[in-house]
Amino acid sequence: MEVNVIYPAELSKLIQDGDEIQIIDLREDYEIENEGKSNAFHIPMGELVSRIEELKSNGKVVFHCSSGNRSMNILKFFIMNDLYKDHYFHLEGGFQEWSKYL
């Protein structure tokens, strides 16, 4: 199974169109302080599995970290552990690319 990927421009358009989307920021607190806020729901990657019930069950759930590596890895982890859902997406380029649309 492949991970669903969404690009920042596409995500921006979906938000503008009013699509139901939950964006999950996987960065650590210090990264948010250094890089800036993303207006996303913050769940540090290390807490995600224990807080998985906080993910919406409808609409797209888009995961991002700083550059995109951790969000891709967490979704691969979800696949390996039967936690992956069809409405989960990896934000290509992470916050570094997403911040251009904020």
Side-chain angles (χ1 to χ4, degrees):
M1 172 184 265
E2 292 289 319
V3 169
N4 293 325
V5 176
I6 193 166
Y7 294 87
E10 181 183 0
L11 177 58
S12 180
K13 172 111 174 64
L14 291 174
I15 291 169
Q16 289 175 357
D17 292 345
D19 286 24
E20 187 170 339
I21 300 171
Q22 180 184 33
I23 303 171
I24 305 295
D25 188 339
L26 299 171
R27 296 176 298 159
E28 299 297 327
D29 291 336
Y30 74 90
E31 291 175 288
I32 292 172
E33 289 174 19
N34 291 332
E35 299 170 1
K37 293 184 179 185
S38 69
N39 298 324
F41 188 69
H42 181 228
I43 303 177
M45 189 174 105
E47 298 176 16
L48 186 57
V49 173
S50 66
R51 295 176 59 187
I52 200 164
E53 73 281 350
E54 296 177 45
L55 302 180
K56 290 189 175 184
S57 60
N58 54 347
K60 289 178 174 55
V61 178
V62 178
F63 297 89
H64 83 74
C65 56
S66 186
S67 66
N69 292 326
R70 284 173 288 177
S71 58
M72 179 62 83
N73 287 337
I74 198 71
L75 291 180
K76 288 179 180 179
F77 171 85
F78 279 2
I79 289 170
M80 292 184 330
N81 291 280
D82 292 325
L83 299 170
Y84 188 77
K85 308 286 185 197
D86 289 338
H87 64 281
Y88 289 175
F89 289 80
H90 155 71
L91 180 61
E92 185 66 28
F95 183 73
Q96 293 172 7
E97 292 300 316
W98 177 238
S99 65
K100 297 173 185 175
Y101 293 85
L102 297 176

